[in-house]
């Protein structure tokens, strides 16, 4: 605040054990976050603030936040966003808040689902339809995939954070696409945990998406739909071959802005799922901020540089907690074109083979994302 | 307006506690937990049994904070949110309830679709109230025993929400009945209301749901016992109304004013 008077921009501060980051939005709202979490980075906190503001816009609209007529009323309205904001502060199974890529899963029989989705979208009269399981996108129409940030991440995340309901008709403001004019987010729980999401204007009314319509398009696909239920934490279809040393993977497609994230492989081994997620978050931040910066699509880059970079794979790795040789988790990151793969590997995995393993895995995953 | 059915005259009360009733309840319980059904699913009864399903849409109306979402969660056997977050928009919850008809001894599967919407969303967005009112079979008006204003708001609610819908069931439910030490609505006021409006009135306690031995999972069977009277009451009113609409029951003339 002092800095602004002197035209200096201060964006963060650090003490011995706390990091403070703040961001001002539209000259109206300032968000401040303090974190004493070990290994927290500014990148993480900055992206957190972007998500939090996005959540506020999503549920209250930009107009209310920039044109504040009654502060008490705004505070009351913002309570609607508390649950969503809390979910960003806790230990989420999703990682889209940090990576700014939509958490996805790969369904078996994806083309069947895709076809049904398109047909249903036409019947319902909207272009924006997706199938979401536990906050991750299983399949979506073209138009849905083209949603901008942060709503592409916020919408499935919101759906995954709500208590179970058969159907919903929620007004939402899209921070990027439509921050002042609300749309309707309709959700329909086909099976517990699996929801059909539609983004609509004033039509269709919720009652139009009735039992008959659902039966026609989705009852015939009951088995493939059921097969999607365990995908939430697994992300990949059952039986997908992964090296036994792999304890977790995060695959990002930086152009499509989608990611696959799972810490389920060899789930019975150390470290715990929670620890693995934390390791991935720290490693992602390290890789993004330090080793692989900047991400593709930056306007400052010249065309030749982009082409050159796209052809040369880059990699880095890290070994954590290695008190003796043969111990310590291995984290390896590999970038090839628009794809960036991060792997968590067990202590047994030989360090000289990390790059090969990562390359092999990336090639196997490439057809999926 | 049709005469209200006497409680227990249409649906066999406490049937769900009989051996036969418990067998049917097994289709909505699994190991004492309430089953959750997606829209593509429904309760499955053992093969030789085939019963009809009667589906109804019910709109739950009441002041903000009175406990609409909590009531629906209780009826569905779901976790009741601990902190009050006003409902962002419309949400619907499906509850299946097998019940036995007095007249024919037949068991019918009732499918209740509860529509619940936050008060400020209703005011802010024009399409929500009509969407909730459209083709509704019953209005459930909720007030809280600990909130006098919510009780006094009932006539207004009745006019605003159900005013132009004759022949639609209207039921009043008072929540937080367990907090009788702090009740703002004494019995005589309830009696006066009942006499003036001639609407069925039920009471629900708002105590936390009982848990199973693990201390975490909701005890579905115990939860059902707590709200069976509401589901039965609702089924009764709706079934009776259907009969009247179909001309199967005489529609008595209006009572002379007392």
């Amino acid at each position: 605040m002092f800095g602004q008077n002197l035209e200096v921009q201060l964006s963060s501060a650090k003490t011995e054990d706390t990091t403070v980051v703040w961001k001002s939005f539209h000259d109206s709202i300032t968000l401040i976050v303090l974190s004493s979490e070990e290994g927290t980075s500014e990148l993480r906190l900055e992206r957190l603030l972007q998500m939090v503001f996005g959540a506020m816009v999503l549920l209250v609209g930009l107009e209310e936040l920039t044109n504040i007529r009654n502060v008490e009323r705004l505070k009351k309205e913002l309570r609607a966003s508390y649950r969503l904001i809390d979910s960003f502060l806790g230990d989420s199974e999703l990682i889209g808040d940090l990576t700014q890529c939509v958490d996805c899963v790969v369904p078996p029989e994806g083309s069947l689902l895709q076809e049904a989705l398109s047909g249903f979208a036409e019947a319902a009269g909207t272009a924006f339809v997706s199938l979401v399981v536990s906050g991750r996108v299983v399949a979506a129409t073209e138009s849905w995939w083209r949603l901008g940030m942060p709503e592409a991440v916020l919408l499935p995340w919101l759906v995954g954070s709500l208590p179970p309901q058969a159907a919903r008709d929620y007004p939402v403001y899209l921070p990027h696409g439509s921050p002042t004019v609300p749309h309707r987010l309709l959700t329909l729980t086909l099976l517990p945990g699996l929801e059909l999401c539609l983004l609509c204007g004033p039509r269709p009314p919720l009652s139009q998406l009735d039992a008959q319509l659902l039966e026609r398009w989705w009852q015939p696909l009951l088995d493939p739909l059921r097969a999607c239920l365990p995908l939430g934490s697994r992300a990949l279809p059952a039986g997908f071959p992964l090296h036994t040393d792999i304890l977790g993977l995060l695959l990002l497609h930086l152009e499509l802005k989608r990611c696959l994230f799972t810490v389920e492989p060899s789930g019975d081994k150390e470290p715990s799922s929670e620890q693995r997620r934390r390791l991935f978050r720290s490693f992602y931040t390290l890789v993004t901020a330090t080793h692989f910066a900047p991400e593709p699509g930056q306007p400052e880059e010249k065309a030749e540089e982009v082409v050159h970079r796209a052809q040369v794979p880059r990699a880095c790795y890290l070994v954590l907690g290695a008190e003796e040789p043969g111990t310590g988790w291995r984290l390896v990151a590999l970038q090839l074109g628009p794809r960036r793969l991060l792997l968590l590997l067990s202590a047994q995995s030989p360090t000289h083979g990390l790059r090969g393993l990562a390359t092999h895995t990336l090639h196997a995953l490439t057809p999926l994302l | 307006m049709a005469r209200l059915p006497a409680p227990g005259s249409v649906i066999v009360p406490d049937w769900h506690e009989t051996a036969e009733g418990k067998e049917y309840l097994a289709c909505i319980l699994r190991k004492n937990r309430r089953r959750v059904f997606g829209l593509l699913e429904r309760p499955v009864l053992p093969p030789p049994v085939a019963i009809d399903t009667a589906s109804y849409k019910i709109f739950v109306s009441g002041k903000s904070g009175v406990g609409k979402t909590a009531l629906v969660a209780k009826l569905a056997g779901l976790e009741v949110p601990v902190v009050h977050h006003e409902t962002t928009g419309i949400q619907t919850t499906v509850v299946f309830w097998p019940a036995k008809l007095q007249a024919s001894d037949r068991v019918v599967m009732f499918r209740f679709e509860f529509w619940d919407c936050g008060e400020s969303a209703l005011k802010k967005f024009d399409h929500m109230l009509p969407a909730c009112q459209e083709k509704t079979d019953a209005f459930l008006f909720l007030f809280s025993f600990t909130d006098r204003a919510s009780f006094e708001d009932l006539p207004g609610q009745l006019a605003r929400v159900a005013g132009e819908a004759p022949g639609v069931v209207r039921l009043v439910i008072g929540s937080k009945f367990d907090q009788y030490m702090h009740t703002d609505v004494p019995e005589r006021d309830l009696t006066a209301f009942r006499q003036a409006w001639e609407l069925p009135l039920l009471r629900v306690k708002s105590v936390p749901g009982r848990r199973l031995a693990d201390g975490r999972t909701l005890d579905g069977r115990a939860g059902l016992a707590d709200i069976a009277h509401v589901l039965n009451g609702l089924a009764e009113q709706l079934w009776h109304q259907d009969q009247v609409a179909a001309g199967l029951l005489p529609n008595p003339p209006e009572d002379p004013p007392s």
Side-chain angles (χ1 to χ4, degrees), chain A residues 9-76:
Chain A
Q9 247 199 0
L10 186 62
S11 57
S12 74
K14 269 182 146 131
T15 66
E16 249 172 52
D17 55 0
T18 309
T19 310
V20 188
V21 172
W22 56 90
K23 226 170 156 63
S24 184
F25 297 89
H26 300 269
D27 272 334
S28 177
I29 306 263
T30 302
L31 294 177
I32 306 170
V33 59
L34 292 94
S35 175
S36 311
E37 214 180 293
E38 209 185 296
T40 285
S41 65
E42 271 129 8
L43 178 74
R44 147 105 175 108
L45 296 179
E46 273 167 32
R47 294 202 174 170
L48 173 65
L49 291 182
Q50 282 173 350
M51 277 295 135
V52 170
F53 187 70
M56 290 162 69
V57 174
L58 188 77
L59 295 168
V60 161
L62 190 60
E63 192 65 40
E64 296 281 349
L65 294 168
T66 52
N67 202 356
I68 304 175
R69 273 164 293 187
N70 183 340
V71 176
E72 289 308 313
R73 194 175 66 121
L74 177 62
K75 277 166 39 173
K76 189 163 174 254

Side-chain angles (χ1 to χ4, degrees), chain B residues 32-45:
Chain B
N32 286 332
R33 296 175 204 199
R34 282 290 283 278
R35 288 185 196 231
V36 180
F37 299 95
L39 289 167
L40 294 177
E41 301 173 303
R42 52 190 53 240
V44 173
L45 289 158

Side-chain angles (χ1 to χ4, degrees), chain B:
Chain B
M1 190 178 71
R3 180 166 301 231
L4 295 177
S9 62
V10 181
I11 302 282
V12 178
D14 299 333
W15 169 75
H16 59 278
E17 284 174 16
T18 65
E20 188 196 22
K22 284 191 180 155
E23 260 182 59
Y24 278 90
L25 276 192
C27 72
I28 60 171
L29 287 168
R30 183 194 285 139
K31 292 189 190 166
N32 286 332
R33 296 175 204 199
R34 282 290 283 278
R35 288 185 196 231
V36 180
F37 299 95
L39 289 167
L40 294 177
E41 301 173 303
R42 52 190 53 240
V44 173
L45 289 158
V49 182
I51 61 176
D52 290 330
T53 303
S55 294
Y56 299 99
K57 172 179 169 181
I58 299 143
F59 177 34
V60 183
S61 172
K63 274 183 89 245
S64 175
V66 76
K68 301 183 286 296
T69 304
L71 174 67
V72 176
K74 265 190 128 57
L75 295 176
L78 298 168
E79 288 285 353
V80 172
V82 172
V83 183
H84 174 244
H85 289 274
E86 189 172 314
T87 306
T88 316
I90 302 175
Q91 25 191 72
T92 75
T93 309
V94 174
V95 176
F96 287 99
W97 179 243
K100 188 162 196 167
L101 301 172
Q102 286 279 19
S104 57
D105 231 31
R106 202 160 49 103
V107 178
V108 170
M109 180 67 75
F110 284 85
R111 180 187 184 275
F112 300 123
E113 195 177 277
F114 292 102
W115 285 53
D116 160 29
C117 188
E119 203 182 19
S120 34
L122 274 182
K123 288 190 187 139
K124 199 169 166 191
F125 298 97
D126 294 334
H127 69 280
M128 294 206 174
L129 185 57
C132 291
Q133 289 168 320
E134 183 198 0
K135 294 200 194 133
T136 288
D137 299 302
F139 292 104
L140 221 58
F141 294 97
L142 197 59
F143 74 92
S144 162
F145 276 95
T146 57
D147 178 1
R148 178 93 200 164
S150 67
F151 177 70
E152 288 177 352
D153 195 42
L154 285 176
Q157 293 260 347
L158 281 156
R160 226 171 24 245
V161 173
E164 289 134 50
V168 173
V169 168
R170 297 175 300 167
L171 194 75
V172 177
I173 297 192
S175 69
K176 302 186 192 159
F177 179 55
D178 48 299
Q179 293 167 39
Y180 53 86
M181 294 292 281
H182 310 281
T183 187
D184 277 352
V185 185
E187 197 61 39
R188 60 173 184 277
D189 288 351
L190 282 181
T191 314
F193 180 86
R194 263 212 206 85
Q195 282 173 341
W197 288 91
E198 285 187 22
L199 293 176
L201 196 148
L202 298 170
R203 299 166 227 244
V204 182
K205 294 187 195 166
S206 301
V207 291
R210 276 166 281 176
R211 309 265 156 187
L212 294 175
D214 66 3
R216 281 175 303 133
T217 328
L218 278 175
D219 185 340
R221 200 176 287 276
L224 273 178
D226 288 339
I227 43 87
H229 65 291
V230 177
L231 295 176
N232 276 340
L234 200 49
E236 206 151 57
Q237 298 295 325
L238 287 163
W239 191 262
H240 177 84
Q241 186 57 40
D242 272 0
Q243 304 261 289
V244 168
L248 296 169
L249 287 179
N251 197 348
E254 288 286 327
D255 292 78
S258 49

